[in-house]
Amino acid sequence: MNPVEMIRKKRSGGALTEAEIEFLIAGYVRGDVPDYQMSAFLMAVYFQGMSDRESACFTETMLHSGSIVDLSSIPGVKVDKHSTGGVGDKVSLILAPMVAACGVPVPMISGRGLGHTGGTLDKLEAIPGFRTDLSMKEYVEVIRETGLVLIGQTPEIAPADRKMYALRDVTSTVESIPLIAGSIMSKKLAEGIDALVLDVKTGNGAFMQTEKESLALARALVGIGAAGGKPTAGLVTSMDQPLGQAIGNWWEVVESVECLRGKQVPDLMDVTLALGGLMLKLGGKASTMEAGIELCRSAIWSGRAYEKFLQIVSRQGGDTRAIENLPAYPPSLNRIEVTATDSGYVHAFKTREIGVLATELGAGRSRVDEAIDPKAGIIVGKKIGEKVEAGDVLAVIMTDRPEAAVRAADAYRSFVGIGREPVAVPPVIRWYVDIHGVKPYSRNDVYPAG
Amino acid sequence: MNPVEMIRKKRSGGALTEAEIEFLIAGYVRGDVPDYQMSAFLMAVYFQGMSDRESACFTETMLHSGSIVDLSSIPGVKVDKHSTGGVGDKVSLILAPMVAACGVPVPMISGRGLGHTGGTLDKLEAIPGFRTDLSMKEYVEVIRETGLVLIGQTPEIAPADRKMYALRDVTSTVESIPLIAGSIMSKKLAEGIDALVLDVKTGNGAFMQTEKESLALARALVGIGAAGGKPTAGLVTSMDQPLGQAIGNWWEVVESVECLRGKQVPDLMDVTLALGGLMLKLGGKASTMEAGIELCRSAIWSGRAYEKFLQIVSRQGGDTRAIENLPAYPPSLNRIEVTATDSGYVHAFKTREIGVLATELGAGRSRVDEAIDPKAGIIVGKKIGEKVEAGDVLAVIMTDRPEAAVRAADAYRSFVGIGREPVAVPPVIRWYVDIHGVKPYSRNDVYPAG
């Protein structure tokens, strides 16, 4: 067993055996395989990829580098959702209580935002008092009591991935489908889940900008889930414009609460209900995804989803008065209305740039150790397909940073493409992916998920 | 300037600017750019290559990481030869005194053998007393007095290359033409040369096994030489069988001395004379390579080349009595005649395997810190094209290692392919390469070298 030979084998397009992958990853975690060999190996993987068997074994080895939560004492089929991340993606905040309210336990370990995307943890922490740093013992207690739990990564979970991700970040080896898939799945499989639903974003605000890449990642994730014995299915959804209207941590909580109380935000709720339907299908509470969607709808209109949200906020230390009285939240120093200078129809967004702008307003981080301003953000007024008259409000921007405030309106305006001709509202859900393959998404299908 | 972005740029097929390459290499030597970023960069170069400009700048930066010997006080055009290494390649031992005897100063910094190939330093050190560890001051003194100097690498020369090569060795990033070319040329350009001649080996005993790869390396080396202002030309020569008859350090000295005294060993002397002719052409002592070859011949038959060899041996501390009385050298414990079991014609050699066998007999190293037995080796009896009767001696093997002695004859026999039909003796010199391009080698051409 020689790391140099393994790097050479991968470099030359060969496939490593399970024993070789275990040797390499376990040796790396122990410190026997140095960073410089691992980074050369990762770059070779970037160019040569991994076979399905290698991917599955790579993920398993990272998974077993740490603890795997045992939720077998919790009744029911535990199902989580993972999103590859985007701008305005607050789906988890609505989805988790909605699905839990339908009787499927949701153990959810989330990340923080970095770069142009937000993170579920930062959004939850915008709620005064909300604790995401539960111990593993509390994690099991909370899901047992409430049917869901929302926490951040703990040091026990997949330490190999944490060490490897830090290395990938500084060696330009992040953008590799088998490495991304292994990183995601090693953490998800450690949560104690029985099944997993994926929201793989595609478009100019996503990490994977083309449908081809997004589908390849979705297939890789589904394959690893299946190899790990956890039924996995997913949707490829559009990130060619922000999802919903709110961008920024507190504002995304506000929009989520409004949706839980029944507000119709078409693209956001289309994605949330479809993922919810799939989770209920995989969780054994609905015979089809369609039937699952209907159960989710009833959890919303009955108020049970909102009640579940209040319950988890309270259980994890959050102040439910902030939720029940949204306007009482402290305002930003600057509130800027961005008005249109042209008339026409919204054709396109530079979505990634809007995410970066939100970060500059204080809503995100460009370094992991930066602080976040939860009330900084953007409310998107006009979305793709909407008619605009000169002078209409395109968006409202909130920030405490005076310099960002000066530039923000012109910047935002430059990120919205307005054309003369009307355009159709593009479908937000594009593809359905499971172990049987890929098909175009259509609400009228009955999906044979699982 | 961010190494992560430079790795990304190279990974995506872009070309780095000169400032970026300098930042990366100088930062690496200082320790500001860590090993793990450099190894990821090197693997990206393995897959994406380098442009001619990048190669030249990469080499220049490594060259300037250390001292460059100033030989401007030595009259004449200083010319060195570099070989990419092979089995039985003792060309330098004949070539350097032969060319120096014709009035072209030869400053030669050589390496040690590693793996299946020998190294000029190890061969020179087989001569009792011969010192290759001269200081830079002695280096200049010796070439001033004798017209040539033969030493090993010093810590002052291209420390960036030394640090980088050690990293490449343990990260499977050795086999990349721009990296190999940069490594060779950064050391050669530091020697104080005015021009350089290359012997790029090709075939199953060479590092580059195909003519395509060998020509690509030759072109890369010639391009870097030209970019550094040093006229460079080279030959691509066969390593599909050992060069000459002797393999092993003392035995290669013996064969070299015999050739310096006028012995005809066709393939070895064809290569040596052609390279010598080219060095005299580049050194301004002959108007054509052909004329240079004739001058080299006369240096041999007149005895001046042999006298020059004795002079440099003596000047660098070697015992000339060992040279003048070759049979007095202590013999090996085991001397094994390998006899043929079949009759026919020698069709082919497994040249690399023969080099590895010589290493196992004690003639080389598999690790850099291993000791060498100078008298261990192989004398090749029958070469490609020669007729063989069962019982004929194919080779004679010398070793002090009893275990190696037991296996050696059967091993050697299995590395020689004998067929029924006669085959022609293949030409040893295949291609001529200079800045104007590549052409097939033909003795009757007059090469527009330089």
Side-chain angles (χ1 to χ4, degrees):
Chain A
M1 289 282 180
N2 178 350
V4 183
E5 288 309 312
M6 292 174 203
I7 300 169
R8 181 184 308 274
K9 195 171 177 184
K10 176 48 64 190
R11 189 198 77 179
S12 307
L16 268 56
T17 65
E18 295 193 4
E20 286 172 333
I21 290 175
E22 281 168 22
F23 174 88
L24 206 59
I25 306 301
Y28 179 60
V29 173
R30 280 197 310 269
D32 296 345
V33 173
D35 282 341
Y36 55 78
Q37 287 184 324
M38 183 52 70
S39 67
F41 175 76
L42 294 169
M43 187 59 85
V45 170
Y46 175 86
F47 283 98
Q48 297 287 12
M50 277 187 177
S51 72
D52 289 349
R53 266 190 79 178
E54 282 178 291
S55 267
C57 174
F58 174 68
T59 308
E60 282 286 317
T61 308
M62 293 209 295
L63 168 63
H64 289 288
S65 72
S67 314
I68 301 173
V69 182
D70 181 3
L71 294 183
S72 59
S73 66
I74 310 288
V77 181
K78 278 72 69 183
V79 188
D80 187 17
K81 183 264 318 186
H82 178 77
S83 161
T84 60
V87 179
D89 179 7
K90 71 281 292 174
V91 166
S92 292
L93 274 64
I94 312 167
L95 181 69
M98 179 180 79
V99 168
C102 296
V104 170
V106 182
M108 191 176 269
I109 300 185
S110 304
R112 298 197 178 275
L114 188 60
H116 72 287
T117 64
T120 297
L121 283 194
D122 296 323
K123 294 168 198 180
L124 292 169
E125 290 177 358
I127 303 168
F130 198 101
R131 281 183 56 218
T132 59
D133 60 345
L134 307 189
S135 69
M136 274 298 141
K137 186 160 163 285
E138 288 175 294
Y139 175 82
V140 179
E141 283 168 8
V142 171
I143 191 171
R144 188 191 309 279
E145 284 172 36
T146 64
L148 78 161
V149 60
L150 303 163
I151 71 163
Q153 275 168 52
T154 70
E156 298 96 323
I157 299 283
D161 174 66
R162 200 159 37 252
K163 187 170 176 184
M164 194 113 54
Y165 190 86
L167 183 64
R168 286 167 59 206
D169 194 39
V170 294
T171 55
S172 286
T173 49
V174 169
E175 298 87 347
S176 158
I177 283 178
L179 299 181
I180 294 170
S183 175
I184 291 172
M185 294 303 286
S186 64
K187 288 177 290 195
K188 286 287 146 185
L189 295 176
E191 286 177 343
I193 54 169
D194 300 307
L196 182 63
V197 165
L198 303 167
D199 182 7
V200 178
K201 302 292 188 188
T202 194
N204 67 22
F207 287 105
M208 300 284 156
Q209 304 215 342
T210 67
E211 290 203 354
K212 191 181 162 198
E213 289 174 302
S214 302
L215 282 169
L217 176 58
R219 269 189 293 243
L221 293 166
V222 163
I224 294 171
K230 309 296 178 188
T232 301
L235 304 175
V236 173
T237 71
S238 170
M239 192 35 70
D240 277 325
Q241 61 179 335
L243 190 63
Q245 296 192 279
I247 305 165
N249 299 289
W250 171 250
W251 302 106
E252 297 195 40
V253 170
V254 169
E255 187 170 34
S256 299
V257 168
E258 288 171 344
C259 286
L260 283 163
R261 288 177 188 159
K263 184 178 178 184
Q264 290 298 316
V265 181
D267 60 350
L268 172 59
M269 286 309 292
D270 278 358
V271 171
T272 305
L273 288 168
L275 292 167
L278 204 45
M279 288 173 80
L280 295 198
K281 168 77 178 67
L282 292 181
K285 293 290 179 185
S287 56
T288 65
M289 186 171 158
E290 279 292 299
I293 290 173
E294 289 316 309
L295 288 173
C296 288
R297 278 188 199 289
S298 70
I300 299 276
W301 63 247
S302 67
R304 283 183 292 117
Y306 180 56
E307 288 301 320
K308 183 60 72 179
F309 183 72
L310 289 175
Q311 184 189 2
I312 192 66
V313 168
S314 169
R315 181 63 184 79
Q316 293 195 213
D319 184 352
T320 53
R321 288 170 306 180
I323 303 300
E324 300 201 89
N325 186 13
L326 298 169
Y329 211 73
S332 287
L333 299 178
N334 303 283
R335 183 182 180 283
I336 305 139
E337 292 195 348
V338 185
T339 50
T341 49
D342 301 312
S343 299
Y345 297 85
V346 178
H347 279 207
F349 283 89
K350 291 186 175 171
T351 316
R352 185 189 175 90
E353 285 80 349
I354 291 176
V356 172
L357 175 63
T359 294
E360 291 164 0
L361 299 171
R365 300 175 183 83
S366 51
R367 290 195 325 273
V368 282
D369 54 351
E370 269 181 306
I372 274 188
D373 172 9
K375 62 198 186 310
I378 302 169
I379 307 297
V380 178
K382 302 285 184 183
K383 297 194 54 171
I384 294 176
E386 286 191 60
K387 197 166 189 307
V388 174
E389 301 285 351
D392 280 357
V393 176
L394 289 178
V396 180
I397 288 174
M398 277 74 60
T399 183
D400 279 0
R401 298 184 181 172
E403 282 184 28
V406 172
R407 289 189 310 266
D410 284 345
Y412 185 88
R413 208 178 278 113
S414 74
F415 301 149
V416 183
I418 293 176
R420 293 233 174 146
E421 300 302 316
V423 291
V425 177
V428 64
I429 308 178
R430 304 287 174 81
W431 300 93
Y432 169 85
V433 184
D434 68 14
I435 195 65
H436 305 295
V438 171
K439 40 186 195 166
Y441 181 82
S442 147
R443 272 299 308 276
N444 298 316
D445 259 346
V446 176
Y447 298 97
Chain B
M1 289 282 181
N2 178 350
V4 184
E5 287 309 312
M6 292 174 203
I7 301 168
R8 182 185 307 275
K9 196 171 175 183
K10 178 47 65 189
R11 189 197 76 180
S12 308
L16 267 58
T17 65
E18 296 192 4
E20 286 172 332
I21 289 174
E22 281 167 22
F23 174 88
L24 207 57
I25 307 300
Y28 179 60
V29 173
R30 281 197 311 268
D32 295 346
V33 174
D35 282 339
Y36 56 79
Q37 286 183 324
M38 183 51 70
S39 67
F41 175 76
L42 293 169
M43 187 59 86
V45 171
Y46 175 87
F47 282 98
Q48 297 286 11
M50 277 188 176
S51 72
D52 290 350
R53 267 190 78 177
E54 282 178 291
S55 267
C57 175
F58 175 67
T59 308
E60 283 286 317
T61 308
M62 293 209 295
L63 169 62
H64 289 286
S65 71
S67 313
I68 301 172
V69 183
D70 181 5
L71 294 183
S72 59
S73 66
I74 310 289
V77 181
K78 278 73 69 183
V79 188
D80 187 17
K81 184 262 323 183
H82 177 78
S83 160
T84 60
V87 178
D89 179 6
K90 71 281 291 175
V91 167
S92 292
L93 274 63
I94 313 167
L95 181 68
M98 179 180 80
V99 168
C102 296
V104 170
V106 181
M108 191 177 269
I109 299 184
S110 304
R112 299 197 178 274
L114 187 62
H116 73 287
T117 64
T120 298
L121 284 195
D122 297 323
K123 294 168 198 179
L124 292 169
E125 290 177 359
I127 303 168
F130 197 101
R131 281 184 56 219
T132 58
D133 60 344
L134 306 188
S135 69
M136 275 296 140
K137 186 159 162 286
E138 289 174 293
Y139 174 84
V140 180
E141 283 168 8
V142 172
I143 191 168
R144 187 190 309 280
E145 285 171 35
T146 64
L148 77 161
V149 61
L150 303 162
I151 70 161
Q153 275 169 49
T154 69
E156 299 95 325
I157 300 283
D161 174 66
R162 201 161 35 256
K163 186 169 178 185
M164 193 113 54
Y165 190 86
L167 183 65
R168 285 167 59 205
D169 194 38
V170 294
T171 55
S172 285
T173 49
V174 169
E175 297 89 346
S176 158
I177 284 178
L179 298 181
I180 293 169
S183 174
I184 292 171
M185 295 302 286
S186 64
K187 288 176 291 196
K188 287 287 145 186
L189 296 175
E191 286 178 344
I193 55 170
D194 300 308
L196 181 65
V197 165
L198 303 167
D199 181 7
V200 178
K201 302 293 188 189
T202 194
N204 66 23
F207 287 105
M208 300 284 156
Q209 305 215 340
T210 67
E211 292 203 353
K212 190 182 163 197
E213 288 174 304
S214 302
L215 283 168
L217 176 58
R219 270 188 293 242
L221 293 165
V222 163
I224 294 171
K230 309 296 177 189
T232 302
L235 303 175
V236 174
T237 71
S238 171
M239 192 35 70
D240 277 325
Q241 59 180 338
L243 190 63
Q245 296 193 277
I247 305 165
N249 299 288
W250 172 250
W251 302 106
E252 297 194 40
V253 171
V254 170
E255 187 169 36
S256 299
V257 168
E258 289 171 345
C259 286
L260 284 164
R261 290 176 187 161
K263 183 178 178 183
Q264 291 295 317
V265 181
D267 60 349
L268 172 59
M269 287 310 293
D270 279 359
V271 171
T272 305
L273 288 167
L275 292 167
L278 204 45
M279 288 173 81
L280 295 197
K281 168 78 176 70
L282 293 182
K285 293 289 178 185
S287 58
T288 65
M289 183 170 159
E290 280 291 301
I293 290 173
E294 290 315 311
L295 290 173
C296 287
R297 278 188 200 290
S298 69
I300 299 277
W301 64 248
S302 67
R304 285 182 290 116
Y306 179 55
E307 288 301 320
K308 184 58 73 181
F309 183 72
L310 289 174
Q311 185 190 0
I312 192 67
V313 167
S314 171
R315 181 63 184 80
Q316 293 195 214
D319 184 352
T320 53
R321 289 170 305 179
I323 303 300
E324 301 202 86
N325 185 14
L326 298 169
Y329 210 74
S332 288
L333 299 179
N334 303 283
R335 183 182 181 283
I336 304 139
E337 293 195 347
V338 185
T339 51
T341 49
D342 301 313
S343 299
Y345 298 85
V346 178
H347 278 208
F349 283 90
K350 290 186 176 171
T351 316
R352 184 189 175 91
E353 285 79 351
I354 291 176
V356 172
L357 175 62
T359 295
E360 290 164 0
L361 299 171
R365 300 175 183 84
S366 51
R367 292 196 323 274
V368 284
D369 54 351
E370 269 180 308
I372 274 188
D373 173 8
K375 60 196 189 308
I378 303 168
I379 307 297
V380 177
K382 303 286 184 182
K383 297 194 54 172
I384 293 175
E386 287 191 60
K387 198 167 188 304
V388 175
E389 302 284 351
D392 281 358
V393 175
L394 290 177
V396 180
I397 289 174
M398 278 72 62
T399 183
D400 281 359
R401 298 185 181 172
E403 281 183 31
V406 172
R407 289 190 310 267
D410 284 344
Y412 185 88
R413 208 178 281 113
S414 74
F415 300 149
V416 183
I418 293 176
R420 294 234 174 144
E421 301 302 317
V423 291
V425 178
V428 65
I429 309 178
R430 305 287 174 79
W431 300 94
Y432 170 85
V433 184
D434 69 13
I435 194 68
H436 305 297
V438 171
K439 37 187 198 167
Y441 180 82
S442 146
R443 273 297 307 276
N444 299 314
D445 260 346
V446 175
Y447 298 98

